[in-house]
Amino acid sequence: MEQELLALLADTQSPAEGPRKHAEAQLEQLYHNEAFPMSLASVASHASVPLNLRQSALLVLKTFVLSAWSPQLDEFKGQVLVNESNKEQLRVVLFELATNGENDRKVTKAASYVVSKIAYADYPDHWPTLLPSLLHLIPTGSDAQIHGALKVLGDLVADGLNEEQFFKIARDLIKVVYDVAINDTRKPNLRALGVSVFRSCFEILEIVMEDHKEAVSGFASESLSAWSPFFLEVMKMPMPDVPKEEEEINDSPIQEHHRGIIALKLQVVKTLMKIRLVFPALLSPQSPILFTAVWEELSTLQASFHEMYINDERQGRTPSFLETEPCISHWLLTIPFGVGRLEDADGLPYTLDFLVLEELDFMQSCLRATPVKKALEAQLQSQISLNGASGGSWVIEVMKLVVAYAQITTEEEGLWDIDVNVFLSEETSVTANYTPRTACGDLVIKLSEWLPRLAVEGLMEYTKAVFSLPQASWKEKEAALYILNQLLSDFLDVDRKVGHELAGFIEFINHAIACNDQMFLRARGFLVAGILAKTIDKPLQPIFTSFMEHSIKSIAEDGSEVVQVSCIRAVQDYIHALPHESTLPMQTPIISALSSFLSSKDLVELSESDDLMVTIVETLRDAILLNSGICIAPQSSTLDLLFTIGSRGANNYQLTALVNETFVDIASSISAMGGESYIRLCEKVLPSLTGAFDVGNMTGQNSLTNLAAELLSVLAEYGSEPLPNGFVGAVMPKLNALLLSSSDAELLRPGTEAVKHMLVHDHQQIFEWHDQEGKSGLEICLVIIDRLLRENMEDHAATEVGGLAAELVEKAGAERLGPYLLQLLRAVAVRLASAQEAAFIQSLILVFARLSLVGAKDVVDFLAQVQVENESGLQVVMGKWLQNSVNFAGYDQIRQNVIALSKLYTLADPRLAQTMVQGDLIVPTSSRIMTRSRTRNTPDQYTTIPVPLKIIKVLIEELSSASGNTSGLEAAALELDEAGSDNGDWEDEPNFLDLGLSMTKQDLMALGDDNVGAERQRDDETQAYLTEFFKGVEAGNIAGFRDWYGQLTAEERGKLSVVG
């Protein structure tokens, strides 16, 4: 079977999709063959098999284990496919494969991961010898064996042990890895792996901390008492000399030792950061000495860091992420790179930039520790008493340190020169690339939060020193201004204005802008000038007006694209900072400069630069909104420029959203100018939009057609009443054709909205219009609605059909619709029964809600007569309505829904009282922990209650929401804050996220869920209405309110008590 598997494993790595998919399917079919897992293990064990296939065998085996080994595993598919005899053999083979020390590290890593998954299910009941074997092997084995054993142990601690299992062996485990870590005869990378395992222990300690705080804290304190001296020793350990270039390229023992020391130091710092997060009180007393150690090391490492990453003194390798991009790689062959941000096969970072990054972060963390603050304050007072208020203090030394590490690396210099979009993404903080440069900015921001005046003065003094030194490099000057840039950005974020004390930086900005031979320094000068204009409380208007004029001129004329883009970005700051009377005269020059910049570029190539395109649109938007009337001025091509950018970047969601938002601002402001202005806007816009429909259809560019539909919807939304003559005739033929032929949700939704807005503003023009076949606008609207309500239409695509249907019913009336009215309402009720998406459900429900506002009894009469899939329409619609009401969005929609439900309740209709709907969640009484698999097999259960009682419950919840009660997240935070935490004189960091925590990752992903975080905002009008409603129904006992009140929960009655 091994030969068959080798062929299949090779095919799974084929670049051709057909053979790859076929091989994957064949492997899955072999799951039921008892020899399958053992054969995979056999393939992985043979040294003669190519490394990639051995790895592949273990990856396939891992997938098999997760799905077919034990019900204890979350991804278990329901059937155990390995007998006990084979399980025993596999445990032995895989343990040997992971720990025998004879395999490549990649094989060891893959085998240890499979072992950890098996251990999660089998340890200790079915594999009691696992941990004892590991703990015995580590003290006595060879380096290679210890490496494998530590990998298995690390995976076990991270993924395979529960709290009870961990605490049974915790002391022995920590003692074993401690002995490895302190043994300086072992290779540094092994010692680093031991520290990494120790850090993983804190993940488990953090989980059980809440329930066993005293015991866990005691255990952590006991462990740290032994480890702390070792941590300090490693931090103070001198770094070996940087290997020579040939030693680095050949991976010599000197290079391996150098990497190992970096990995060891880095793991120590990462562990200290973890301890500071989980047990700050334990680390706080040692924080001053740790702070000193990390500062001293960062000061010592500067020369090595500059040699490897800043000074361009040696030829590095092309970064690995570029090896797959031949065209880029070709351009970079001549660019020297320091080799940065690399990890070994065990996932341990080993490059100097990683170490510097962690140490800068740790230094920033220490600045929040009270003992460190007290020590630094004392030192500051001593320095001031000796040198005076402006004398050299440690604050200036911090500035010296951060400017040293914030300098542009040769890698960044090369990338930014080739791709300005990368530069812009770094500059606008939309990248996830966290580097020593950005960490330096964060460090100064943290310092300024504590010592705002001294931070600014210290940066000013050191910047002055840098710019006055003839030997100072342009990178050093740029870094000083970059730190200022970061500091000013933070001031803006916290809405902190500063006085003219920052005006001293203008001299350095002028110097930077005048450096014609250094584009990055020049670009930085323009960027800092812009943000400084926004930050100074009362801008020095003539100076910054001059800077703005210079920036506008440079957009069109500067020879460097980096500088041009920086100026485009800076213009936004000036527009927001300077008085309107100063910026308005520059509106036309700004738009002309942007037009000139775009005309000099290949728009197809430019469309691939997402961040640049977004920045251009943002600047164009700000310029237009200085006076949106420019869009309808004779000979103005402003809107053409906006639509050109939008059409070229139609595939970019962020860009199209921004173009759409910009057009919303334009349409709303021009519409407010009056009917004549709106007519001129239509004359400018409609030919472009209808033309875009034609181009999109001819070229198959769905994204362009979708953008045109969105802009048309905006234009119609802000239409005059009535619409300009011929508006409907100009747009409906093409819009109707698209709505009746397309299945693209991104087209159907705005297209449907556009028709709805036309009905809102001028239904008469719609009804009087006829297509080429003679069908009236009313008939065409009914056909569109009918298509969108069909079962084969996706919910997402038909989201807006309810609004269109409600508007048509309201505007046409029963007399004009005739028999079509009941057919339409029945179609809405039938489609509501199968609807799943929240927005679509809301859209359909609001058809009945809006009808209920003027005829609640008619709605009940109709629904009681309609049958939907053998159920009463009343049952179907009211069940869906009341189940989803609390998820409604939009002030007007929520208010309409609330009033409609209140009117249904006051009918006191016995048919409603006899209709049963979903009530309250039944909370399980079991004490078992609910795993994902158990949750899937145990769906939520609810009580069943009458419609009037459910209406009351829903309206109570709406009353609470309208009152602006604290959201769930805020309440949870308040509860945690009240519970208190032992922070050990270490400042809490608000909104601090440790992205290494598993629950944090899940919580972040949950932010994308439609039902998460959809908290309501305060709504005084709805609150007042509901207050009067509840007072009225209680006073008159309307519809038996007092009987229903007795069936409310204590929490619901508490919410009603505020009404009195």
Side-chain angles (χ1 to χ4, degrees):
M1 188 177 192
E2 283 83 351
Q3 290 303 317
E4 179 186 0
L5 286 174
L6 283 170
L8 290 173
L9 291 171
D11 284 347
T12 61
Q13 299 183 20
S14 168
E17 184 178 3
R20 187 174 67 250
K21 294 286 186 183
H22 178 73
E24 290 168 354
Q26 289 290 102
L27 287 169
E28 282 194 27
Q29 290 178 12
L30 291 172
Y31 273 24
H32 291 269
N33 188 321
E34 285 192 0
F36 178 65
M38 286 302 302
S39 297
L40 285 172
S42 176
V43 169
S45 301
H46 279 292
S48 60
V49 174
L51 177 60
N52 64 319
L53 297 185
R54 297 176 71 191
Q55 278 184 279
S56 181
L58 288 167
L59 291 173
V60 172
L61 182 56
K62 179 207 72 174
T63 304
F64 172 79
V65 165
L66 288 173
S67 62
W69 187 275
S70 168
Q72 298 298 318
L73 297 170
D74 284 339
E75 296 176 43
F76 180 65
K77 298 294 177 60
Q79 184 179 3
V80 175
L81 299 178
V82 192
N83 60 47
E84 288 302 321
S85 174
N86 282 350
K87 281 187 176 183
E88 184 61 36
Q89 291 183 60
L90 277 168
R91 294 186 197 109
V92 172
V93 171
L94 289 169
F95 183 84
E96 176 70 13
L97 195 57
T99 62
N100 64 15
E102 298 175 1
N103 295 299
D104 184 277
R105 280 192 173 191
K106 294 178 180 178
V107 172
T108 298
K109 181 179 180 180
S112 72
Y113 193 64
V114 183
V115 169
S116 72
K117 293 304 176 186
I118 294 174
Y120 183 83
D122 290 1
Y123 177 82
D125 295 340
H126 303 291
W127 200 356
T129 61
L130 174 60
L131 274 173
S133 299
L134 287 172
L135 298 181
H136 174 73
L137 176 62
I138 291 173
T140 60
S142 66
D143 279 0
Q145 288 176 313
I146 293 173
H147 168 261
L150 285 173
K151 278 301 299 175
V152 174
L153 193 59
D155 286 339
L156 275 174
V157 172
D159 296 312
L161 297 179
N162 60 35
E163 302 94 57
E164 183 180 352
Q165 293 165 354
F166 171 75
F167 279 108
K168 284 181 179 179
I169 51 90
R171 281 184 171 81
D172 293 336
L173 185 155
I174 290 175
K175 175 66 167 61
V176 163
V177 296
Y178 174 75
D179 288 341
V180 173
I182 65 169
N183 189 343
D184 55 13
T185 65
R186 296 291 187 189
K187 290 183 177 180
N189 63 316
L190 272 184
R191 301 172 68 192
L193 201 53
V195 178
S196 176
V197 174
F198 177 62
R199 187 177 78 253
S200 296
C201 295
F202 283 87
E203 302 284 354
I204 297 180
L205 294 178
E206 186 174 20
I207 293 171
V208 299
M209 179 78 171
E210 184 177 347
D211 296 329
H212 309 282
K213 186 172 185 179
E214 186 174 339
V216 170
S217 296
F219 175 76
S221 178
E222 175 189 329
S223 301
L224 285 177
S225 64
W227 282 82
S228 293
F230 163 71
F231 288 155
L232 190 58
E233 177 188 335
V234 171
M235 293 183 74
K236 292 184 174 182
M237 181 190 303
M239 279 289 298
D241 292 336
V242 177
K244 297 177 182 178
E245 186 174 0
E246 58 270 19
E247 292 170 338
E248 182 178 335
I249 293 173
N250 296 326
D251 288 332
S252 67
I254 294 175
Q255 167 74 342
E256 183 183 2
H257 180 71
H258 184 263
R259 290 178 175 178
I261 294 296
I262 292 177
L264 177 58
K265 283 176 168 286
L266 208 150
Q267 290 306 311
V268 166
V269 178
K270 288 173 76 74
T271 302
L272 288 170
M273 288 287 283
K274 186 65 184 180
I275 295 168
R276 173 261 178 275
L277 181 67
V278 184
F279 301 103
L282 298 181
L283 203 59
S284 183
Q286 304 172 57
S287 56
I289 193 169
L290 293 171
F291 178 79
T292 301
V294 76
W295 190 343
E296 289 176 351
E297 174 147 275
L298 283 169
S299 300
T300 304
L301 292 176
Q302 285 184 38
S304 298
F305 185 84
H306 276 238
E307 179 184 350
M308 297 186 72
Y309 302 103
I310 305 294
N311 292 340
D312 193 9
E313 292 181 354
R314 58 156 60 167
Q315 180 74 34
R317 304 172 193 164
T318 301
S320 58
F321 69 89
L322 291 174
E323 291 174 358
T324 56
E325 300 287 346
C327 57
I328 298 179
S329 187
H330 168 75
W331 283 100
L332 295 178
L333 286 177
T334 58
I335 298 176
F337 284 108
V339 184
R341 297 190 294 280
L342 299 180
E343 297 179 349
D344 65 15
D346 299 320
L348 297 180
Y350 62 79
T351 49
L352 187 62
D353 58 338
F354 262 139
L355 176 60
V356 167
L357 179 58
E358 288 294 336
E359 291 189 339
L360 285 168
D361 268 356
F362 185 67
M363 188 175 177
Q364 179 198 148
S365 178
C366 285
L367 284 177
R368 297 197 294 271
T370 301
V372 171
K373 284 187 171 183
K374 288 181 178 178
L376 290 175
E377 284 170 348
Q379 187 177 340
L380 192 62
Q381 290 302 318
S382 175
Q383 290 172 336
I384 290 175
S385 64
L386 288 174
N387 305 320
S390 60
S393 71
W394 60 261
V395 176
I396 296 175
E397 293 302 311
V398 170
M399 298 305 170
K400 182 179 180 181
L401 184 77
V402 297
V403 167
Y405 283 111
Q407 294 177 36
I408 298 173
T409 66
T410 52
E411 177 184 353
E412 291 167 332
E413 189 180 354
L415 284 173
W416 296 349
D417 189 25
I418 292 168
D419 188 351
V420 71
N421 198 66
V422 178
F423 167 78
L424 196 58
S425 66
E426 299 279 356
E427 199 58 42
T428 53
S429 301
V430 297
T431 174
N433 192 21
Y434 190 62
T435 64
R437 179 174 166 93
T438 45
C440 286
D442 290 346
L443 176 58
V444 173
I445 288 170
K446 186 54 60 181
L447 180 62
S448 74
E449 291 173 359
W450 172 33
L451 302 170
R453 182 181 61 83
L454 289 176
V456 171
E457 291 175 355
L459 181 58
M460 170 78 78
E461 188 165 338
Y462 186 69
T463 304
K464 187 182 299 182
V466 168
F467 275 81
S468 64
L469 287 174
Q471 69 271 26
S473 69
W474 70 264
K475 287 190 176 184
E476 198 171 359
K477 295 174 182 178
E478 193 278 341
L481 292 180
Y482 168 80
I483 295 299
L484 173 62
N485 210 141
Q486 298 302 97
L487 192 59
L488 295 178
S489 295
D490 183 67
F491 287 175
L492 287 176
D493 289 341
V494 298
D495 200 24
R496 177 184 161 195
K497 294 286 187 179
V498 293
H500 287 184
E501 64 268 20
L502 287 178
F505 284 103
I506 291 175
E507 174 188 351
F508 313 132
I509 293 171
N510 277 318
H511 174 92
I513 290 175
C515 287
N516 293 325
D517 58 337
Q518 299 297 345
M519 62 179 177
F520 290 112
L521 178 57
R522 197 160 72 255
R524 178 60 52 200
F526 281 115
L527 287 166
V528 172
I531 199 167
L532 186 58
K534 290 180 71 175
T535 314
I536 289 184
D537 194 15
K538 293 183 178 179
L540 305 173
Q541 186 175 328
I543 295 174
F544 288 111
T545 301
S546 174
F547 278 142
M548 183 177 185
E549 291 171 345
H550 196 167
S551 297
I552 295 169
K553 184 179 179 183
S554 296
I555 292 173
E557 298 179 3
D558 199 281
S560 164
E561 192 174 13
V562 168
V563 176
Q564 291 177 301
V565 169
S566 298
C567 290
I568 292 172
R569 176 65 188 83
V571 164
Q572 296 176 29
D573 292 332
Y574 293 122
I575 291 174
H576 293 289
L578 296 176
H580 187 261
E581 59 269 20
S582 299
T583 55
L584 183 58
M586 300 190 198
Q587 183 185 42
T588 299
I590 293 170
I591 295 172
S592 298
L594 292 174
S595 179
S596 174
F597 176 81
L598 286 170
S599 65
S600 67
K601 306 297 176 187
D602 181 341
L603 290 182
V604 175
E605 182 179 319
L606 194 66
S607 65
E608 298 174 0
S609 301
D610 294 347
D611 298 307
L612 175 54
M613 295 284 278
V614 166
T615 299
I616 293 171
V617 174
E618 288 174 338
T619 304
L620 179 60
R621 174 200 60 197
D622 292 344
I624 289 172
L625 295 182
L626 288 170
N627 178 13
S628 56
I630 194 173
C631 296
I632 56 176
Q635 310 305 318
S636 172
S637 59
T638 303
L639 284 174
D640 292 336
L641 183 62
L642 178 67
F643 292 161
T644 297
I645 299 171
S647 64
R648 292 297 180 180
N651 290 315
N652 179 345
Y653 173 78
Q654 184 185 3
L655 182 69
T656 55
L658 187 58
V659 169
N660 197 44
E661 290 168 10
T662 302
F663 191 59
V664 167
D665 292 332
I666 293 170
S668 61
S669 60
I670 290 180
S671 177
M673 296 177 188
E676 287 301 318
S677 295
Y678 182 78
I679 290 172
R680 293 210 300 276
L681 177 64
C682 292
E683 290 171 349
K684 287 273 188 182
V685 169
L686 283 179
S688 298
L689 296 185
T690 54
F693 285 140
D694 294 334
V695 172
N697 288 335
M698 287 189 294
T699 61
Q701 284 185 276
N702 291 341
S703 55
L704 179 59
T705 308
N706 297 350
L707 175 62
E710 289 174 359
L711 296 176
L712 178 60
S713 176
V714 171
L715 185 66
E717 181 179 3
Y718 292 97
S720 58
E721 294 188 12
L723 291 170
N725 289 333
F727 186 99
V728 172
V731 302
M732 273 302 288
K734 292 177 182 177
L735 191 57
N736 179 43
L738 290 170
L739 290 174
L740 294 182
S741 62
S742 176
S743 58
D744 186 350
E746 303 307 317
L747 171 63
L748 292 174
R749 285 186 292 106
T752 308
E753 273 194 306
V755 178
K756 181 188 74 174
H757 293 316
M758 285 187 278
L759 275 172
V760 170
H761 293 299
D762 196 348
H763 64 276
Q764 203 61 41
Q765 191 175 158
I766 283 271
F767 295 157
E768 291 174 357
W769 173 76
H770 291 73
D771 69 2
Q772 291 180 336
E773 298 176 2
K775 291 182 180 178
S776 69
L778 173 62
E779 186 177 354
I780 287 172
C781 287
L782 287 170
V783 172
I784 292 171
I785 292 170
D786 177 69
R787 178 173 188 257
L788 294 174
L789 287 176
R790 292 174 188 170
E791 291 290 340
N792 61 356
M793 184 65 67
E794 292 181 2
D795 287 11
H796 184 54
T799 299
E800 301 300 329
V801 68
L804 175 59
E807 204 62 48
L808 184 65
V809 169
E810 192 173 294
K811 291 297 193 293
E815 183 176 345
R816 183 175 269 152
L817 283 171
Y820 294 118
L821 175 59
L822 295 183
Q823 293 178 28
L824 172 60
L825 295 179
R826 186 182 184 285
V828 172
V830 169
R831 188 64 181 88
L832 180 59
S834 60
Q836 298 296 321
E837 188 176 291
F840 183 42
I841 292 171
Q842 174 177 324
S843 170
L844 297 179
I845 288 172
L846 283 173
V847 175
F848 297 106
R850 288 175 63 171
L851 286 172
S852 298
L853 296 178
V854 294
K857 186 176 185 303
D858 293 336
V859 171
V860 174
D861 289 343
F862 167 76
L863 292 176
Q865 297 169 8
V866 172
Q867 288 291 307
V868 179
E869 296 180 356
N870 299 320
E871 282 191 275
S872 162
L874 200 59
Q875 177 73 58
V876 170
V877 172
M878 293 310 302
K880 214 64 175 272
W881 188 343
L882 293 168
Q883 183 180 342
N884 290 275
S885 281
V886 293
N887 297 321
F888 276 21
Y891 277 122
D892 291 338
Q893 291 85 346
I894 291 170
R895 195 173 298 122
Q896 288 172 0
N897 184 56
V898 163
I899 297 172
L901 289 176
S902 69
K903 289 184 177 294
L904 287 173
Y905 176 82
T906 53
L907 285 176
D909 194 308
R911 292 170 295 183
L912 291 176
Q914 293 163 11
T915 302
M916 306 300 286
V917 294
Q918 184 185 92
D920 299 327
L921 177 67
I922 300 173
V923 180
T925 57
S926 171
S927 60
R928 297 180 70 192
I929 296 173
M930 293 299 289
T931 64
R932 285 194 293 269
S933 57
R934 287 181 189 147
T935 302
R936 284 195 298 267
N937 297 326
T938 313
D940 290 337
Q941 293 183 314
Y942 294 84
T943 60
T944 303
I945 60 176
V947 165
L949 177 57
K950 182 66 175 182
I951 289 177
I952 291 172
K953 286 175 174 285
V954 168
L955 294 181
I956 289 173
E957 190 61 36
E958 293 292 355
L959 174 64
S960 178
S961 298
S963 303
N965 282 359
T966 305
S967 73
L969 289 175
E970 291 171 338
L974 184 62
E975 182 179 338
L976 286 173
D977 185 56
E978 289 173 349
S981 62
D982 186 11
N983 62 12
D985 295 326
W986 214 304
E987 281 183 16
D988 289 329
E989 180 70 2
N991 302 322
F992 178 80
L993 289 176
D994 179 3
L995 295 179
L997 300 180
S998 57
M999 282 306 296
T1000 300
K1001 294 173 185 173
Q1002 295 171 17
D1003 293 342
L1004 287 174
M1005 294 304 294
L1007 292 176
D1009 184 50
D1010 289 340
N1011 295 320
V1012 176
E1015 301 293 340
R1016 301 282 184 82
Q1017 301 297 315
R1018 184 179 180 88
D1019 182 352
D1020 292 336
E1021 188 175 335
T1022 300
Q1023 181 189 10
Y1025 177 85
L1026 285 172
T1027 298
E1028 291 304 312
F1029 167 78
F1030 279 116
K1031 286 181 178 178
V1033 295
E1034 199 283 330
N1037 193 27
I1038 295 174
F1041 176 78
R1042 291 168 192 161
D1043 292 335
W1044 300 127
Y1045 181 84
Q1047 299 180 49
L1048 298 176
T1049 65
E1051 181 182 1
E1052 289 165 341
R1053 289 197 294 269
K1055 290 178 179 179
L1056 265 186
S1057 65
V1058 299
V1059 177

